């Protein structure tokens, strides 16, 4: 699938190594920071992408770099007569949840769309990570007006502690359709497919067209058959894991924004203009994550005004500015909470997802503002693009080790990082060292152990410290010690920007 991209880029890099004069070997560098960096952002970038290989489900390729993981879930979908092999496990368990997987795909794609030109050799790996997800999403949306949104019984999966390679819990398949709608997951899936179509547009045009065609169809389904998947038929299945608290309006605006960007069709612009207010364009919430997309949609649509000069979307600049003003300390409208050590703090459960998603929005909005030569005004306080980048950098630096505990919250990065993450495959002996099956309940024997996980899930970013900067590093503490794909996905773009701006790429 994405191999044609990989080959094409490899050939170009090979030819450039012979044809580029020595004095042009490095691109002109526009630095927004001093040349000295306290962190190796490039190393963190490499690892943040590598992590996704540890979350793969399905038949693993010969290029698999996290080698303690093996094939798993090879009969997924078979009981329903569909092929649902592949995709990603969302976090430390063995369930494939379509809602966060689609958001992960959208954010990985957005990272590449905005900063892929700076990624150098990591661009191929980022595209492979996106392609692993889109192949699955294409399977999940193969039938019109139907999306397979989950594989695995979460309750039964969570009652076991077993490697994905040993799974013997029911691989139940759950879907949304005309009779059981799920607008939020459908619209997010459309966003993911549309965003990914932009990633592959130049290097694999036919695949890009397939993704976009599917995105258009899926969005039409999402919009026509409206209803929340966690309020209706699937409530017992998806709650309390990935209940949609924010409703589905934000996903419709977000999905339309991505389809507008991918198609440039007036129909999506008209949709946004007609429905923007009722879908929450001016909401005052300031949380961006797998459930709530309002802020992301505002930032995304602000580009159409700031960069493409689309005057009809000028309100989205104001909406985006309101979000920035609520976030930056010292402004009259500031609402955000920070730990004593300086970490943005939203909630106890997996707080780091908001740190990475917010940091991405900051560097991305700074890029748009710089292009338009504009600033943000918060009352009498002027916020420059440089200020946004500095706030994002401070958050990433905290994540990588500039914090009271001097601990990196990315596994495998730095001298000190979490050793006992809440992750089944990482915490149990690998198939290579322990070929015999580990039974469902027997795996729980590792839960209270102080021994480090035997398999290092390189690049995994955990939920992070509490509001007082404390982190116990306990395997049973899923709120703080569990990594997730949607924590890593937005971090890829921010790390790319930082690595480039410090001359590390």
């Amino acid at each position: 699938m994405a191999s044609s991209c990989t080959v094409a880029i490899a050939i170009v890099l090979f030819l450039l190594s012979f044809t580029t004069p020595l004095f042009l070997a490095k691109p002109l560098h526009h630095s927004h920071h001093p040349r000295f960096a306290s962190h190796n952002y490039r190393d963190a970038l490499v690892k943040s992408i590598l992590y996704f290989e540890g979350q793969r489900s399905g038949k693993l390729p010969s290029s698999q770099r996290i080698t303690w993981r093996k094939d798993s879930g090879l009969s997924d979908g078979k009981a329903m007569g569909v092929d649902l092999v592949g995709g990603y496990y969302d976090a430390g368990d063995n369930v494939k949840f379509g809602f966060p997987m689609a958001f992960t795909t959208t954010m990985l794609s957005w990272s590449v769309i905005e900063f892929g030109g700076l990624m150098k050799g990591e661009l191929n790996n980022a595209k492979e990570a996106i392609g692993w997800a889109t192949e699955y999403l294409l399977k999940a949306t193969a039938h019109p007006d139907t999306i397979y949104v989950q594989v695995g019984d979460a309750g039964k999966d969570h009652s076991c502690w077993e490697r994905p390679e040993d799974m013997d819990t029911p691989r139940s398949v759950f879907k949304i359709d005309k009779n059981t709608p799920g607008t939020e997951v459908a619209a997010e899936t459309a966003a993911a497919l549309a965003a990914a179509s932009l990633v592959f547009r130049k290097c694999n045009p036919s695949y890009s067209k397939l993704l976009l065609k599917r995105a258009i169809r899926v969005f039409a389904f999402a919009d026509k058959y409206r209803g929340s998947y966690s309020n209706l038929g699937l409530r017992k299945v998806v709650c309390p894991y990935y209940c949609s608290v924010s409703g589905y309006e934000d996903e419709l605006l977000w999905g339309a924004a991505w389809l507008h960007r991918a198609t440039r069709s007036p129909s999506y612009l008209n949709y946004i203009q007609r429905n923007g207010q009722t879908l929450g364009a001016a909401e005052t919430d300031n949380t961006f994550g797998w459930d709530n997309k309002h802020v992301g949609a505002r930032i995304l649509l602000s580009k159409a005004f700031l960069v493409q000069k689309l005057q009809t979307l000028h309100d989205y600049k104001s909406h985006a500015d309101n979000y920035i003003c609520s976030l930056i300390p010292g402004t009259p409208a500031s609402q955000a909470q920070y730990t004593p050590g300086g970490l943005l703090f939203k909630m106890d459960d997996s707080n780091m997802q908001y740190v990475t998603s917010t940091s991405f929005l900051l560097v991305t909005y700074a890029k748009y503002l710089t292009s338009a030569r504009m600033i943000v005004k918060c009352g009498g306080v002027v916020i420059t693009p440089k200020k946004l980048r500095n706030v994002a950098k401070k958050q990433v630096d905290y994540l990588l080790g500039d914090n009271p505990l001097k601990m990196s919250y990315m596994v495998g990065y730095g001298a000190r990082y979490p050793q006992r993450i809440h992750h089944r495959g990482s915490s149990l002996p690998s198939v290579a060292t322990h070929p015999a099956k580990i039974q469902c309940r027997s795996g729980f024997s590792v839960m209270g152990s102080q021994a480090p996980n035997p398999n290092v899930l390189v690049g995994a970013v955990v939920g992070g410290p509490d509001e007082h900067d404390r982190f116990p590093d306990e395997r049973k503490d899923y709120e703080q010690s569990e990594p997730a794909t949607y924590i890593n996905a937005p971090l890829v773009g921010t790390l790319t920007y930082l690595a480039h701006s410090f001359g590390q790429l």
Side-chain angles (χ1 to χ4, degrees):
M1 181 281 313
S3 59
S4 60
C5 295
T6 306
V7 171
I9 294 169
I11 291 170
V12 170
L13 291 173
F14 177 75
L15 292 173
L16 281 175
S17 68
F18 289 97
T19 60
T20 307
L22 188 60
F23 62 87
L24 288 179
K26 279 199 170 184
L28 290 174
H29 178 74
H30 301 285
S31 177
H32 301 287
H33 299 288
R35 297 297 298 185
F36 174 75
S38 57
H39 287 286
N40 187 336
Y41 300 115
R42 183 185 180 279
D43 182 50
L45 170 64
V46 169
K47 289 170 177 170
S48 71
I49 298 171
L50 178 62
Y51 155 76
F52 288 94
E53 295 192 16
Q55 295 301 113
R56 284 172 168 171
S57 180
K59 179 73 176 172
L60 302 184
S62 58
S63 59
Q64 174 80 9
R65 295 176 294 170
I66 293 189
T67 53
W68 51 265
R69 278 297 325 285
K70 303 299 178 188
D71 299 346
S72 61
L74 297 182
S75 59
D76 281 359
K78 193 174 182 180
M80 290 277 285
V82 291
D83 175 9
L84 294 173
V85 176
Y88 290 114
Y89 303 117
D90 70 301
D93 53 18
N94 301 325
V95 184
K96 294 191 297 204
F97 294 97
F99 194 22
M101 195 194 308
F103 177 69
T104 293
T105 310
T106 310
M107 293 310 297
L108 269 176
S109 298
W110 199 3
S111 290
V112 170
I113 291 163
E114 298 297 346
F115 303 107
L118 312 176
M119 281 183 177
K120 303 284 184 65
E122 285 309 301
L123 181 57
N124 290 341
N125 292 324
K127 286 181 175 178
E128 290 292 338
I130 294 165
W132 194 266
T134 53
E135 285 296 280
Y136 177 82
L137 294 178
L138 287 172
K139 292 178 179 182
T141 57
H143 300 122
D145 296 339
T146 301
I147 303 178
Y148 295 95
V149 297
Q150 185 172 317
V151 180
D153 182 314
K156 291 178 179 176
D157 178 272
H158 288 185
S159 70
C160 292
W161 193 267
E162 59 186 352
R163 304 174 298 198
E165 295 84 0
D166 286 339
M167 274 189 295
D168 51 11
T169 51
R171 299 302 285 169
S172 309
V173 174
F174 303 94
K175 67 179 180 177
I176 57 173
D177 54 27
K178 297 177 185 179
N179 301 316
T180 310
T183 299
E184 57 275 91
V185 65
E188 181 60 66
T189 302
L193 293 165
S197 77
L198 291 166
V199 170
F200 295 108
R201 180 162 287 176
K202 287 185 179 178
C203 63
N204 196 338
S206 60
Y207 189 67
S208 173
K209 287 174 184 173
L210 171 64
L211 294 172
L212 187 54
K213 186 177 179 182
R214 186 67 56 82
I216 291 168
R217 190 179 87 188
V218 170
F219 184 79
F221 163 65
D223 192 40
K224 184 176 181 180
Y225 300 99
R226 293 193 182 188
S228 173
Y229 88 144
S230 58
N231 288 345
L232 300 167
L234 294 183
R235 182 170 182 82
K236 291 181 180 179
V237 173
V238 301
C239 298
Y241 313 103
Y242 292 102
C243 283
S244 177
V245 177
S246 70
Y248 57 71
E249 292 82 3
D250 53 311
E251 276 82 22
L252 284 173
L253 184 60
W254 173 246
W258 275 111
L259 278 158
H260 173 250
R261 184 150 175 183
T263 65
R264 298 292 175 90
S265 168
S267 64
Y268 293 107
L269 179 59
N270 292 338
Y271 181 95
I272 292 161
Q273 291 170 325
R274 199 170 59 248
N275 300 292
Q277 292 305 308
T278 57
L279 296 180
E283 289 280 337
T284 56
D285 50 17
N286 60 356
T287 298
F288 179 53
W290 60 263
D291 182 28
N292 193 331
K293 320 294 162 45
H294 279 133
V295 175
R298 280 173 233 154
I299 299 288
L300 184 64
L301 288 169
S302 74
K303 182 182 182 182
F305 166 68
L306 288 167
V307 182
Q308 277 111 33
K309 310 300 182 188
L310 207 56
Q311 296 300 320
T312 53
L313 294 179
H314 71 276
D315 283 353
Y316 287 91
K317 203 279 186 178
S318 302
H319 298 326
D321 286 357
N322 290 339
Y323 164 65
I324 296 298
C325 294
S326 77
L327 191 68
I328 305 297
T331 65
S334 180
Q335 302 170 4
Q337 290 183 292
Y338 293 81
T339 67
L343 185 71
L344 176 67
F345 194 82
K346 285 279 182 185
M347 61 178 63
D348 295 325
D349 190 357
S350 190
N351 178 66
M352 205 60 87
Q353 66 179 296
Y354 303 110
V355 175
T356 60
S357 61
T358 300
S359 298
F360 176 83
L361 292 183
L362 288 172
V363 295
T364 300
Y365 196 46
K367 179 184 173 184
Y368 300 163
L369 289 169
T370 299
S371 176
R373 298 185 177 181
M374 295 186 80
I375 56 168
V376 176
K377 290 182 180 177
C378 304
V381 181
V382 172
I383 306 295
T384 63
K386 182 179 180 182
K387 173 67 174 177
L388 300 186
R389 294 182 180 109
N390 285 338
V391 171
K393 177 182 179 295
K394 186 176 180 182
Q395 293 302 303
V396 173
D397 286 349
Y398 182 109
L399 186 157
L400 294 178
D402 291 359
N403 55 62
L405 295 181
K406 305 299 178 198
M407 171 177 276
S408 160
Y409 291 102
M410 176 184 284
V411 174
Y413 176 88
R416 186 177 182 220
Y417 53 81
Q419 300 292 313
R420 290 171 285 278
I421 66 172
H422 183 93
H423 189 278
R424 287 157 175 76
S426 171
S427 67
L428 294 168
S430 68
V431 173
T433 60
H434 190 287
K437 178 171 176 163
I438 298 174
Q439 298 296 331
C440 162
R441 304 290 301 176
S442 61
F444 281 111
S445 62
V446 308
M447 195 59 73
S449 166
Q450 289 300 300
N453 285 9
N455 308 308
V456 181
L457 185 57
V458 175
V461 179
V462 297
D466 66 13
E467 69 269 33
H468 303 293
D469 300 297
R470 297 174 302 201
F471 182 78
D473 195 11
E474 292 178 352
R475 206 171 278 114
K476 64 184 178 183
D477 184 358
Y478 63 87
E479 292 189 340
Q480 292 182 259
S481 292
E482 188 170 18
T485 57
Y486 45 86
I487 302 179
N488 271 61
L491 184 60
V492 169
T494 314
L495 287 171
T496 301
Y497 165 73
L498 288 170
H500 170 76
S501 64
F502 282 99
Q504 297 172 355
L505 277 172

